[in-house]
């Protein structure tokens, strides 16, 4: 879950930064179909949910193996 959360947070922040530079990634162009406010809500939600998944995600497999030994 940590990996998914970090990807979500990264892409959310990436979309926000690129939005300020007028360079929206084509994969996120669909969020602008509903307007700017909805696009902001989706980008912020990506960052927040990604951060929650990252911090609540538990330990990685490698660190779990170290704990067991």
């Amino acid at each position: 879950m940590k990996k998914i959360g970090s990807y979500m947070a990264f892409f959310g922040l990436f979309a926000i930064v690129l939005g300020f530079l007028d360079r929206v990634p084509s994969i996120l162009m669909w969020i602008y179909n509903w307007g700017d406010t909805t696009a902001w809500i989706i980008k912020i939600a990506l960052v927040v949910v990604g951060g929650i998944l990252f911090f609540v995600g538990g330990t990685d497999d490698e660190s779990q193996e170290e704990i067991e030994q």
Side-chain angles (χ1 to χ4, degrees):
M1 283 299 195
K2 280 185 132 179
K3 190 178 249 187
I4 294 171
S6 62
Y7 285 141
M8 286 176 68
F10 172 75
F11 284 120
L13 289 172
F14 189 62
I16 290 171
V17 169
L18 288 179
F20 284 123
L21 300 174
D22 291 331
R23 295 292 211 195
V24 178
S26 60
I27 196 163
L28 292 175
M29 201 61 179
W30 61 272
I31 64 175
Y32 289 97
N33 289 337
W34 296 298
D36 286 336
T37 303
T38 307
W40 271 104
I41 291 170
I42 292 171
K43 290 186 281 189
I44 291 171
L46 271 173
V47 173
V48 170
V49 172
I52 290 170
L53 286 175
F54 180 78
F55 288 114
V56 177
T59 60
D60 291 335
D61 292 334
E62 294 173 2
S63 61
Q64 187 67 25
E65 290 175 4
E66 292 175 1
I67 293 171
E68 292 174 358
Q69 292 178 356

